[in-house]
Amino acid sequence: GFAHEKGIRTSINSNLNVTLSNETVWNNTHKLGAKLFKISGIVVLIGLFFPDFGLLFFVFLMIFISIFLMIFSYFDFKKQKK
C-alpha cells in the first residue's frame, strides 16, 4: 500500500529512531501501519453520520495510530535486539 511504500519514520529523538536502523522493525511497523490506516479509513466513514464530530474523530484516530506505531516500533526494536 501507499503507507508502506512511503514509509513511517519514528524519529522524535535519537532514542526513538528505530525504524530506520533495523530492516525487520521497519517492515513490521509498515505492515501494521498499513493495516491500521486502512481500517481507520473505513472507520472514519462512520463520521459521515456524525458531521459535528467527523473531523474530530478523524484527527483523533490519526494521532492515536501515529503514536501507537511509534511505541510499537520502539518495543519491536527492543525485542529484535534480544
Side-chain angles (χ1 to χ4, degrees), residues 8-11 17-23 25-26:
I8 299 167
R9 305 265 193 250
T10 304
S11 59
N17 197 7
V18 295
T19 58
L20 297 175
S21 63
N22 186 303
E23 185 79 22
V25 174
W26 176 268

Side-chain angles (χ1 to χ4, degrees), residues 3 6-22 24-30 32-33 37 65-78:
K6 292 297 179 185
I8 299 167
R9 305 265 193 250
T10 304
S11 59
I12 292 176
N13 63 39
S14 60
N15 292 331
L16 290 178
N17 197 7
V18 295
T19 58
L20 297 175
S21 63
N22 186 303
T24 303
V25 174
W26 176 268
N27 290 329
N28 291 345
T29 301
H30 285 79
L32 179 60
F37 280 114
I65 290 172
S66 298
I67 292 171
F68 177 80
L69 288 172
M70 286 189 281
I71 295 168
F72 171 82
S73 66
Y74 176 77
F75 284 109
D76 193 34
F77 179 76
K78 292 293 186 186

Side-chain angles (χ1 to χ4, degrees), residues 18-82:
V18 295
T19 58
L20 297 175
S21 63
N22 186 303
E23 185 79 22
T24 303
V25 174
W26 176 268
N27 290 329
N28 291 345
T29 301
H30 285 79
K31 285 179 187 176
L32 179 60
K35 289 177 187 175
L36 289 176
F37 280 114
K38 287 175 187 175
I39 291 168
S40 71
I42 294 167
V43 172
V44 165
L45 291 175
I46 295 170
L48 294 174
F49 299 106
F50 305 99
D52 294 339
F53 300 104
L55 182 61
L56 181 63
F57 191 60
F58 171 75
V59 171
F60 172 76
L61 270 174
M62 294 303 109
I63 291 171
F64 175 78
I65 290 172
S66 298
I67 292 171
F68 177 80
L69 288 172
M70 286 189 281
I71 295 168
F72 171 82
S73 66
Y74 176 77
F75 284 109
D76 193 34
F77 179 76
K78 292 293 186 186
K79 183 174 102 177
Q80 298 298 323
K81 285 180 73 172
K82 289 183 178 182

